[in-house]
Amino acid sequence: EAGVAQSPRYKIIEKRQSVAFWCNPISGHATLYWYQQILGQGPKLLIQFQNNGVVDDSQLPKDRFSAERLKGVDSTLKIQPAKLEDSAVYLCASSLGDYNTEAFFGQGTRLTVV
Amino acid sequence: GENVEQHPSTLSVQEGDSAVIKCTYSDSASNYFPWYKQELGKGPQLIIDIRSNVGEKKDQRIAVTLNKTAKHFSLHITETQPEDSAVYFCAANPSPGGTSYGKLTFGQGTILTVHP
């Protein structure tokens, strides 16, 4: 089966600019996660969706980050305006359901803010 | 919230040797402990996981042990091969009730290098 698809793979922007990342989860997976992975660290959860509803966004910096999953399938994560410390790999993951199902990760989008 | 500590940060072994990576967690409500392997430029890939009602699980050359009383779990790789070289992450699920297996707190990672 096809895995989690993310685009773009790489993005370089200047600070204070906006950027958006796209994720297409594995077909049929109801739960979608966005993680931020700063170089040399483990991934950190930003937001979790169940279908098109937000389950947990407690670690999302809502003053500059936003995410949506309008039709319960694809999702976009946006940063506006970007800061230097937002430089990281943004990983999308999906799982079949919220309960007792493993998460599968995409390859990620590497963001560099200069 | 949950805190996961992982050691060592780097591990270098000779091909054929065993490798052990250890993690501790803080939230006694966590009940799912996966291990992910991340190769350069790729996303994390699940290699093995263990649930809190099990003390040990093995899959070919990879095994994981869990001690819930001490709140620590370990990854054991036997007969290491150069293709095992990667960054390994442990994780724990911090959800109340512990049933959201994709909602994870990760350790800091271990860079494993297997020398031929």
Side-chain angles (χ1 to χ4, degrees), chain B residues 8-64:
Chain B
S9 56
T10 61
L11 181 58
S12 182
V13 300
Q14 289 296 127
E15 182 177 1
D17 287 350
S18 296
V20 180
I21 303 171
K22 299 181 179 182
C23 290
T24 60
Y25 62 98
S26 61
D27 188 347
S28 57
S30 292
N31 69 351
Y32 174 66
F33 307 93
W35 286 88
Y36 284 86
K37 175 184 181 180
Q38 188 172 28
E39 297 176 317
L40 198 61
K42 297 184 178 180
Q45 178 187 11
L46 180 70
I47 56 171
I48 195 168
D49 58 16
I50 191 167
R51 288 155 174 80
S52 60
N53 58 346
V54 176
E56 183 174 357
K57 182 177 179 181
K58 188 174 182 180
D59 182 5
Q60 299 183 2
R61 298 185 296 109
I62 295 174
V64 57

Side-chain angles (χ1 to χ4, degrees), chain A residues 9 35 37 56 98-100 103, chain B residues 36 38 41 99-100 102-104:
Chain A
R9 287 297 313 278
Y35 280 83
Q37 185 176 22
D56 184 354
D98 187 36
Y99 296 94
N100 298 351
Chain B
Y36 284 86
Q38 188 172 28
T99 54
S100 180
K103 185 177 176 180
L104 301 167

Side-chain angles (χ1 to χ4, degrees), chain A residues 19-100:
Chain A
V19 65
F21 313 124
W22 173 82
C23 172
N24 179 239
I26 294 172
S27 178
H29 280 198
T31 310
L32 186 147
Y33 311 84
W34 283 101
Y35 280 83
Q36 179 193 57
Q37 185 176 22
I38 293 172
L39 185 65
Q41 299 182 17
K44 173 189 168 185
L45 179 68
L46 293 176
I47 190 168
Q48 175 188 355
F49 291 94
Q50 181 70 16
N51 295 309
N52 62 347
V54 175
V55 175
D56 184 354
D57 63 357
S58 59
Q59 299 189 81
L60 187 72
K62 298 181 189 63
D63 58 334
R64 298 184 301 105
F65 287 64
S66 64
E68 60 184 12
R69 192 184 184 200
L70 291 176
K71 297 183 179 179
V73 180
D74 294 1
S75 177
T76 56
L77 176 69
K78 298 179 181 178
I79 307 175
Q80 180 180 14
K83 293 185 176 181
L84 296 177
E85 58 261 37
D86 297 332
S87 294
V89 175
Y90 290 85
L91 295 163
C92 179
S94 70
S95 63
L96 192 59
D98 187 36
Y99 296 94
N100 298 351

